[in-house]
Amino acid sequence: MSERSFTVIENEWITLADGTRLAARIWMPDGADKDPVPAVFEFLPYRKRDGTCVRDESTYPVFAAAGIAGVRVDIRGSGESDGVIDGEYTPLELANACELIAWIAAQPWSNGSVGMMGISWGGFNCLQVAALKPPALKAVISIASTVDRYNDDIHYKNGTHLSAQLSWAATMLAYQSRSPDPEVVGDRWKDMWMERLENEPFFMEEWLQHQRRDAFWKHGSICEDFGDFSVPALVIAGWADGYRNTPLKAVEGIGSKAKALIGPWVHKYPHFAWPKPRMDFLAEAIAWWNRWLRDEQNGAENWPQVRAYIQDGPKPSLRREFDPGTWVAKSDWTAPEMDCFYVEQFGTLAPGMPIAGAKNHDHYLRSPLDTGTMAGEWFTLKPDAEMALDQRIDDAGSLVLETPPLAEAREYLGQPVLDLELSCDADLANLCARIVDVHPDGTATRVTFGVLNLAHRGGNADPKPMRKGEKTEVRLVLDAMGYRFPAGHRIRLSLSTSYWPMVLPPPTDPGLTLDLASLGLALPKLGAHEAVTLPEPANPDPLPNYPELSPPESARGVERDLTNGLTEYTIYEDTGLHEHPDTGLATRQVRDELWSIVEGDPLSATGTATWICDMQRPNWFVRTISSATIACTATDWLISASVRAFEGETQVFEKSFEKAVPRDLM
């Protein structure tokens, strides 16, 4: 199909049945009024005018040139859309999405077939909307998303409390505090801004009300009933991201209508993600849309059910530009055969300590509370220290079991499983397990990990305290991996009772007694597969470059006060100030986080996340400064938040919030 010219509609108002106007940006193939076209819809709170314009402008023009309209709509209360956001993936949001799909399908330029696409929030809601079966929605592409909102998102993981929950709550507080663009909404911009500032929720308050897997998290978790899902779904993720489990879970639950694709990437679209190699996502997406939105018989339904990049012994580095490895395909995904390791398969308990002398004895483990500083972010946006670094520092505070050097390479794809008997002298404790590739020079690459709040050992819906001092069987399913351990490398299992700051500690620090003789680790064998080649994008730099008015800056560090036992973990991210060349709107966001903990005192754990968001044009400048904190007592989570807004140099708004939320076996 030859490329078509297209027109960009910078702002189209779509009025919902309740009178709310939502703002859309549309890439429209020319001639669609005479020759109707399919459309791809993306529904986000991240602001089409500035927040996602860079990636939108790398994607939707290519779709439009292929004769596919792109419709990018801001969720209510974001960008230039009316109203106030009411939470994540709420019934109102999903109902609005269904209404928008019907609107798109009814337009004279539409052929009546709509696809829905997105990464992260947009990846979540396209799966959730598809489960509602709006008639015009024919296919989805979901990137870096989840089928299980409780266990595979930024809030909780197997009953542990992820610090990303505060980080994300602070992010959304900052994002939703931003003003609409006066150039689009006119003189009412300030009234709209004040309405948002006054009424936007602090999401973490609601999230903390649901510390177990209840109806709140089941809503929007399509794993609750995969039978409700009948739309073809291309589900994509990266091994460097927190959402790495979703593609395999999707094909296991949805079946043949789902196709899984997993690369080495961080939380980005595959045509501009790191680490490389990238893949030509745009060509793949166009083929997907043409198959399901145009009924083009191009064989997309026969793509392998799983395609995955098998990492081949990458080393951690200050910036992971490229991961060595190979692409493989499995036509049909089935439960993998497991490669089982017991104590006898591990040569040492710790470097230099033979396992034989300890395997029939219980081992007491209580990791330093700051074990985990090399873990990186739960979800990653850059291939730097956001990714897991050399694990030797964290392994020093862990129980380490290690194989002898491998006589031959071993290849794996799927989720590892750890079985273990242990006991604890408190109601709850956390267990972290990490699979580590130990290179011949000692460098330690984290391959995957899993965490478990032991009160959730029997499930996340009805946690129960540990039976103090009583030996208990537990099973921990780790995150998915696609990895080749080369010959001469060692496979290490690292166990710790802390994984801070990624995981917040329980109120006490009792340690665990592990029965090493009971330990069993099962790694999923790659098994029968085909080697495949995934084309890389022709354009090595597909993102547009906007004029830079001030440079970006990034810093991440760990500081240990050896006198007072205090560890501080700091994050600083400044996007720099960039101006959109067409709209003249310049924006900048600064994230500044501080996490701290004192050794021996889990109740000392605190986190603070502060954001500055600037928007400006000549003779117009607005800024919001928002902050969110978490601290704790033995019985409560203590959260607070504040927002201040400025027009020019004048403060025009301020509010603050404090709340104590009871801990629920967490």
Side-chain angles (χ1 to χ4, degrees):
M1 183 180 293
S2 60
E3 288 196 359
R4 294 172 66 165
S5 58
F6 61 91
T7 301
V8 181
I9 303 168
E10 286 297 331
N11 194 76
E12 173 89 11
W13 294 113
I14 303 174
T15 304
L16 300 176
D18 65 2
T20 302
R21 291 200 313 172
L22 301 186
R25 191 181 188 195
I26 301 176
W27 289 258
M28 181 62 63
D30 291 343
D33 54 335
K34 296 186 174 100
D35 180 17
V37 297
V40 173
F41 164 51
E42 188 174 4
F43 193 38
L44 297 172
Y46 301 147
R47 304 172 61 96
K48 65 178 176 57
R49 189 80 166 162
D50 50 83
T52 65
C53 54
V54 173
R55 78 180 189 216
D56 294 344
E57 290 166 12
S58 80
T59 301
Y60 288 109
V62 180
F63 288 179
I68 302 167
V71 183
R72 168 69 180 84
V73 183
D74 283 337
I75 287 172
R76 69 173 65 221
S78 60
E80 282 65 58
S81 290
D82 289 352
V84 178
I85 197 169
D86 68 336
E88 280 187 322
Y89 325 121
T90 65
L92 178 61
E93 174 188 331
L94 303 185
N96 288 170
C98 291
E99 191 174 341
L100 289 163
I101 289 169
W103 180 90
I104 295 168
Q107 297 308 298
W109 48 260
S110 170
N111 73 353
S113 294
V114 180
M116 195 169 176
M117 182 185 82
I119 184 171
S120 203
W121 192 302
F124 277 56
N125 66 17
C126 75
L127 292 177
Q128 296 167 13
V129 170
L132 299 176
K133 298 185 174 69
L137 183 62
K138 305 301 184 184
V140 299
I141 299 178
S142 178
I143 307 166
S145 64
T146 191
V147 298
D148 183 347
R149 291 185 57 213
Y150 184 83
N151 264 330
D152 277 320
D153 196 10
I154 55 89
H155 309 288
Y156 306 107
K157 192 171 183 66
N158 285 324
T160 65
H161 187 178
L162 297 175
S163 63
Q165 175 153 250
L166 176 78
S167 300
W168 190 241
T171 302
M172 288 307 298
L173 187 68
Y175 282 3
Q176 296 308 119
S177 72
R178 292 176 290 183
S179 164
D181 187 349
E183 191 175 89
V184 175
V185 301
D187 292 342
R188 66 192 190 103
W189 72 271
K190 192 169 182 179
D191 289 339
M192 293 176 65
W193 189 29
M194 291 298 117
E195 179 188 18
R196 292 179 190 178
L197 289 166
E198 185 64 44
N199 297 304
E200 66 169 324
F202 180 50
F203 286 7
M204 195 170 183
E205 178 185 11
E206 183 174 46
W207 298 336
L208 273 180
Q209 303 290 343
H210 304 277
Q211 295 170 48
R212 57 183 70 188
R213 198 172 192 280
D214 58 13
F216 177 81
W217 301 112
K218 292 177 182 179
H219 163 76
S221 292
I222 67 167
C223 64
E224 288 297 305
D225 187 359
F226 280 118
D228 271 348
F229 200 99
S230 58
V231 171
L234 176 58
V235 185
I236 302 173
W239 295 127
D241 189 25
Y243 296 102
R244 58 201 286 168
N245 297 320
T246 302
L248 296 181
K249 288 186 175 181
V251 298
E252 289 167 357
I254 296 170
S256 61
K257 284 189 176 292
K259 307 295 182 183
L261 175 65
I262 315 172
W265 312 302
V266 297
H267 193 81
K268 294 287 185 181
Y269 274 82
H271 59 302
F272 55 81
W274 304 93
K276 294 180 177 179
R278 296 167 174 169
M279 59 85 67
D280 191 353
F281 166 76
L282 298 178
E284 174 128 340
I286 289 169
W288 187 255
W289 300 133
N290 283 340
R291 173 65 187 90
W292 302 115
L293 307 186
R294 279 200 173 99
D295 199 28
E296 180 181 292
Q297 299 303 305
N298 59 18
E301 71 275 19
N302 298 319
W303 290 352
Q305 196 170 25
V306 173
R307 288 168 293 165
Y309 190 73
I310 305 300
Q311 298 169 295
D312 192 358
K315 282 192 173 185
S317 61
L318 298 181
R319 184 173 175 86
R320 290 260 289 269
E321 296 279 343
F322 179 88
D323 277 1
T326 55
W327 286 102
V328 302
K330 284 179 168 283
S331 296
D332 297 295
W333 177 256
T334 57
E337 180 186 352
M338 304 303 277
D339 191 7
C340 296
F341 294 78
Y342 302 100
V343 169
E344 291 78 6
Q345 276 76 48
F346 292 103
T348 55
L349 180 64
M353 181 187 298
I355 199 77
K359 70 178 183 180
N360 295 319
H361 300 284
D362 289 342
H363 184 95
Y364 177 68
L365 173 66
R366 187 170 68 86
S367 303
L369 287 175
D370 63 358
T371 301
T373 55
M374 296 296 106
E377 291 271 2
W378 186 82
F379 75 91
T380 51
L381 295 172
K382 302 192 307 303
D384 54 14
E386 293 189 26
M387 295 179 66
L389 298 175
D390 195 311
Q391 295 294 287
R392 284 178 281 192
I393 291 175
D394 288 344
D395 285 347
S398 306
L399 171 64
V400 172
L401 297 94
E402 192 173 286
T403 69
L406 298 175
E408 57 185 24
R410 300 197 185 194
E411 295 179 301
Y412 301 106
L413 178 62
Q415 289 193 262
V417 178
L418 174 68
D419 289 295
L420 183 63
E421 292 185 6
L422 51 77
S423 61
C424 179
D425 288 330
D427 287 341
L428 67 158
N430 289 340
L431 175 66
C432 174
R434 307 185 298 283
I435 307 298
V436 177
D437 176 11
V438 183
H439 298 250
D441 65 358
T443 303
T445 301
R446 193 191 72 189
V447 177
T448 187
F449 76 101
V451 291
L452 173 65
N453 172 353
L454 293 173
H456 286 240
R457 64 197 179 278
N460 304 122
D462 186 23
K464 298 187 183 306
M466 288 288 285
R467 299 181 292 271
K468 296 181 183 178
E470 184 177 327
K471 191 172 288 188
T472 303
E473 295 181 9
V474 299
R475 168 165 285 192
L476 174 53
V477 180
L478 285 72
D479 283 348
M481 60 190 287
Y483 203 88
R484 179 180 186 269
F485 290 88
H489 289 221
R490 300 171 184 259
I491 299 175
R492 175 181 290 175
L493 171 64
S494 302
L495 302 174
S496 62
T497 57
S498 181
Y499 209 46
W500 178 93
M502 182 182 289
V503 173
L504 301 185
T508 60
D509 184 26
L512 296 172
T513 299
L514 311 178
D515 180 354
L516 297 183
S518 71
L519 184 146
L521 174 66
L523 300 183
K525 293 182 179 181
L526 173 59
H529 64 278
E530 296 180 12
V532 293
T533 300
L534 267 66
E536 297 193 35
N539 184 354
D541 186 20
L543 298 178
N545 293 306
Y546 297 164
E548 182 179 279
L549 308 183
S550 68
E553 183 180 351
S554 179
R556 188 174 294 255
V558 179
E559 183 174 341
R560 289 183 167 90
D561 178 346
L562 302 181
T563 301
N564 298 301
L566 172 69
T567 301
E568 293 184 331
Y569 189 100
T570 58
I571 302 167
Y572 183 81
E573 300 284 352
D574 183 345
T575 64
L577 182 65
H578 294 85
E579 179 183 295
H580 195 289
D582 297 329
T583 68
L585 181 65
T587 60
R588 172 178 179 249
Q589 294 91 44
V590 179
R591 170 195 179 198
D592 193 355
E593 285 192 26
L594 171 64
W595 296 88
S596 66
I597 198 165
V598 174
E599 179 53 38
D601 183 9
L603 299 182
S604 67
T606 63
T608 299
T610 301
W611 280 78
I612 300 172
C613 296
D614 292 344
M615 300 173 61
Q616 65 186 66
R617 280 197 178 89
N619 304 315
W620 182 75
F621 173 83
V622 292
R623 163 177 286 178
T624 57
I625 302 175
S626 53
S627 184
T629 65
I630 188 168
C632 58
T633 67
T635 58
D636 294 313
W637 299 109
L638 308 176
I639 57 173
S640 62
S642 65
V643 179
R644 290 183 293 148
F646 297 83
E647 184 180 358
E649 299 296 323
T650 304
Q651 181 172 310
V652 294
F653 181 85
E654 182 173 11
K655 73 175 180 182
S656 60
F657 164 93
E658 289 185 6
K659 192 171 184 67
V661 181
R663 301 175 79 136
D664 184 7
L665 286 175
M666 184 172 286

